[in-house]
Amino acid sequence: MRKNKKIFSGILIVSTSILVWLTSTWGTSVVALPPPEDIPEEILRTEIILDARSPVDGKPLNAAEYAELQEQLQVSPPPKLSADLRQTIYLIQLRKALLQIFPFLDI
């Protein structure tokens, strides 16, 4: 009886360790490399960007329109916000920061 218990526990230990080893290595070889259709970062860094988005309204612009808009923004900056609107934005940002620190406050 005692010999059967030792054999059973030995088989149980071996089978469990094989199962743990198989599940731990399952799929890790696939995760090691990026997909082949991914463009390497080194190539993306050297790519010349010809299209841009307007910082004012988000519309797509070509390079010449973007440069022209940047010049206009440097010459005449956008209008300032009213004091009431700035105060409201400040209070919203303060509320957001307080809720991150004290999540139990339901302000």
Side-chain angles (χ1 to χ4, degrees), residues 6-35:
K6 285 184 179 182
I7 292 173
F8 178 73
S9 62
I11 291 173
L12 184 65
I13 289 172
V14 169
S15 62
T16 305
S17 59
I18 289 173
L19 182 68
V20 167
W21 175 74
L22 282 175
T23 56
S24 66
T25 59
W26 205 325
T28 54
S29 62
V30 176
V31 180
L33 296 173

Side-chain angles (χ1 to χ4, degrees), residues 63-99:
E65 292 171 338
Y66 184 76
E68 183 181 324
L69 181 64
Q70 288 297 328
E71 272 184 36
Q72 288 176 358
L73 288 176
Q74 287 178 355
V75 172
S76 61
K80 300 258 183 199
L81 297 176
S82 69
D84 291 339
L85 189 56
R86 268 189 274 133
Q87 177 73 17
T88 304
I89 291 172
Y90 170 75
L91 290 175
I92 290 173
Q93 291 172 342
L94 180 66
R95 178 182 181 268
K96 184 178 177 184
L98 285 174
L99 284 175

Side-chain angles (χ1 to χ4, degrees), residues 25-47:
T25 59
W26 205 325
T28 54
S29 62
V30 176
V31 180
L33 296 173
E37 64 271 1
D38 246 5
I39 301 173
E41 185 178 338
E42 293 82 12
I43 294 174
L44 289 175
R45 267 193 255 140
T46 60
E47 185 179 48

